Amino acid sequence: MENAAPLTLAQIVRLALPSGTKLRPANAESRNRQVAWAVVVGVPLRRDAMVEQGDIVFCAVRSDDASWTDSIDQLIAAGAVAIGVTVTLPAAAIKKADAANLPIIQLPEGTHLRAAHRATLTLLTNRQAHIAELSSKFFHQLGQLSAESKGMEAIAQKMCELTGHHVVVQDKRLVPIATAEPEIKLDNWHEIVGDMSKLESLPMGWADRKQVAAHNISVEQQELKSSIVRFVAPIVVGRLARGYVSIIAPSGDLDSLDSLVLEQGAAAFGLEMSKAKAVNEATKRLRGDFLDAVLAGAIPQQEIRRWAQRIGHDIAATHATVIFAWPDVPNQPSMRRLETIVNGELSIGRISALIRTSDSEIANFVALGSDGSLKAARAIAQGVKNQVAKEFPKIKLLCGIGRAAQNVSEWRVSYREAGQALGTARRVGDGEPMYFGDLSVHRLLFQLEDHPELAAFCNETLGALIDYDNQHNSSLLQTLSAYFTHHGNLSQTAEALFIHRNTLQYRMDRIAEISGFDLDNPETRLAVQLALKAYRLIHPQDGKR
């Protein structure tokens, strides 16, 4: 803001005068009047009152008989651009001011006129200094709320009070985590907030949270809908944008004060998120230590219960272990990214779990429902798998699920089972969550993995199809495997393979012709399914084709 540009009444009211100051009338003509100077005079006015064209006149009452109507006549004649008062003017004086188009600045009761006058002159003569002082004031007010641990809602509410506009704070997934609304609310407020939760609602280039932080982006203005605009700023913690804060108002209502408040508000929310991150890290370490102790089995149960109370987790519930790991592929994503995805899915599903992260896997000890079913464990496994598939479509996440543990002493067993299931998933490589309870056949096959009879059994059962696929670059073995995966349902199998049902029927006929299989015979079906599992175990890369 350069000093050469004239200041308007609206800017004076917003940037120099106390919160709660009202401008009458608050129309465009009054708001856009340009201000040359500011003076303080006593009412009734003396003859030597120094009032010139373009002055804001702050009026101090000298006596009980202020003679307001006469004073207003004098101020109109002198060319005052507006008058500032802390008292309620008589109706006759207001009528006279309105008739002469003389705006009235109604200051909050108890305002020190000299202080308002000094702030106005500072803004008029040295705007940069005033803006810096105002910015420091806002940061102190908002930062103090953070220092006192008042929370994000309190900071958002203070921003709302300072600006008179709606405030929304969102986390990195654009989920609102704090809001504040002024007395006069926007009609389509909830619809606006809903639209802001979509990734495409962010300003261009803001989807990359590292770049937003690296480029020191502060405040941007953005059109929303129905003549509604917002100032939006990233909440930067370290080298990432951890969230976003917005001030929202009808088009034309946002100004430099809103931008200042938003900038300092983003800094205050950054402090809040830094504290929350530090607490989360400490809690994560404490929970990790707890799980290490449980799995080591070296601590008495009574101490385990006291430790669980300290970390705020109910160990009386039935739990099951779910382990995630990246497959062995080049340029695999980081474990930190996987941990973020897991935490996100736990939060979305409101699933209670303890997490143990290592260099190679993330183990989740998931609290199950009162019925002890694996529904919650399977839900988090599928949710994480789906999210990974969206972000990394070429990578098949590995997942193993252990059986339900009725008490904390059985967690080690569930963890070991989940690890075995994960190992099976890694070897067969189909990308589906693997439950230990479904491993009965695989556990038997593992014992025979190096036995020549297993390879001979595969070759005798599937050899003709394998040779045909190799010679014709076809996928009859994959088709047969999908057929069994979907329990012989042709429609589901065709859908899974992205082919027409007629095409699938043709392939099944070719399989029967080449192999001689009678899939209506239960013994044949069992032998073929065992051979398929064994083949994937012996030749995992071929099995993924």
Side-chain angles (χ1 to χ4, degrees), residues 323-327 338 360-362 396-399 422 426:
I323 303 180
F324 299 102
W326 296 118
L338 180 55
S360 59
E361 67 179 34
I362 295 178
K396 290 185 176 181
L397 182 68
L398 303 176
C399 175
L422 180 72
R426 189 181 300 278

Side-chain angles (χ1 to χ4, degrees), residues 372-395:
S373 73
L374 290 168
K375 182 179 178 181
R378 293 186 186 278
I380 186 62
Q382 195 62 44
V384 171
K385 173 183 175 297
N386 293 342
Q387 185 59 35
V388 166
K390 288 180 183 178
E391 296 188 24
F392 311 102
K394 296 183 178 180
I395 294 180

Side-chain angles (χ1 to χ4, degrees), residues 104-143:
I104 299 171
I105 300 172
Q106 187 70 55
L107 296 159
E109 186 177 353
T111 299
H112 195 288
L113 280 179
R114 292 290 179 184
H117 174 240
R118 281 196 302 272
T120 303
L121 287 181
T122 302
L123 181 60
L124 287 167
T125 58
N126 192 345
R127 296 181 207 176
Q128 288 186 341
H130 181 79
I131 294 300
E133 182 180 349
L134 201 58
S135 181
S136 176
K137 173 186 172 184
F138 290 153
F139 181 74
H140 175 75
Q141 290 177 317
L142 300 173

Side-chain angles (χ1 to χ4, degrees), residues 45-286:
L45 267 67
R46 295 173 177 169
R47 292 186 178 181
D48 59 349
M50 300 294 292
V51 179
E52 298 183 4
Q53 185 81 24
D55 285 353
I56 289 179
V57 182
F58 293 100
C59 299
V61 179
R62 291 179 184 275
S63 66
D64 293 338
D65 181 14
S67 303
W68 278 108
T69 53
D70 293 340
S71 296
I72 285 177
D73 280 335
Q74 291 176 259
L75 293 173
I76 292 170
V81 72
I83 59 172
V85 295
T86 59
V87 297
T88 301
L89 296 183
I94 294 174
K95 183 177 180 180
K96 182 167 290 235
D98 287 348
N101 292 323
L102 177 64
I104 299 171
I105 300 172
Q106 187 70 55
L107 296 159
E109 186 177 353
T111 299
H112 195 288
L113 280 179
R114 292 290 179 184
H117 174 240
R118 281 196 302 272
T120 303
L121 287 181
T122 302
L123 181 60
L124 287 167
T125 58
N126 192 345
R127 296 181 207 176
Q128 288 186 341
H130 181 79
I131 294 300
E133 182 180 349
L134 201 58
S135 181
S136 176
K137 173 186 172 184
F138 290 153
F139 181 74
H140 175 75
Q141 290 177 317
L142 300 173
Q144 187 66 27
L145 293 173
S146 176
E148 295 173 358
S149 299
K150 298 295 186 181
M152 293 192 180
E153 288 286 350
I155 298 174
Q157 187 59 47
K158 186 63 177 180
M159 292 175 64
C160 179
E161 293 172 7
L162 291 170
T163 63
H165 301 312
H166 292 71
V167 177
V168 178
V169 186
Q170 298 168 283
D171 65 13
K172 59 188 177 185
R173 296 181 183 84
L174 302 183
V175 176
I177 53 178
T179 60
E181 305 172 35
E183 291 184 8
I184 302 176
K185 299 176 176 57
L186 297 171
D187 293 336
N188 52 348
W189 171 235
H190 295 294
E191 182 182 347
I192 291 169
V193 173
D195 289 344
M196 287 168 53
S197 297
K198 302 171 184 175
L199 186 61
E200 57 268 24
S201 69
L202 286 175
M204 186 174 295
W206 281 31
D208 188 331
R209 298 188 295 122
K210 286 186 178 180
Q211 290 299 315
V212 171
H215 292 166
N216 295 318
I217 296 173
S218 54
V219 177
E220 284 198 17
Q221 181 170 329
Q222 189 181 31
E223 297 285 338
L224 295 178
K225 63 189 304 181
S226 303
S227 300
I228 302 298
V229 299
R230 71 166 171 171
F231 281 161
V232 57
I235 302 170
V236 176
V237 179
R239 298 180 181 180
L240 278 178
R242 299 284 180 181
Y244 309 91
V245 55
S246 301
I247 294 177
I248 303 163
S251 181
D253 282 7
L254 296 178
D255 56 26
S256 53
L257 180 136
D258 299 311
S259 180
L260 276 178
V261 171
L262 182 63
E263 190 171 344
Q264 300 309 320
F269 286 121
L271 291 176
E272 281 294 292
M273 288 188 174
S274 292
K275 289 195 298 183
K277 186 173 183 294
V279 170
N280 287 338
E281 290 293 331
T283 302
K284 185 170 70 174
R285 286 194 298 272
L286 185 59

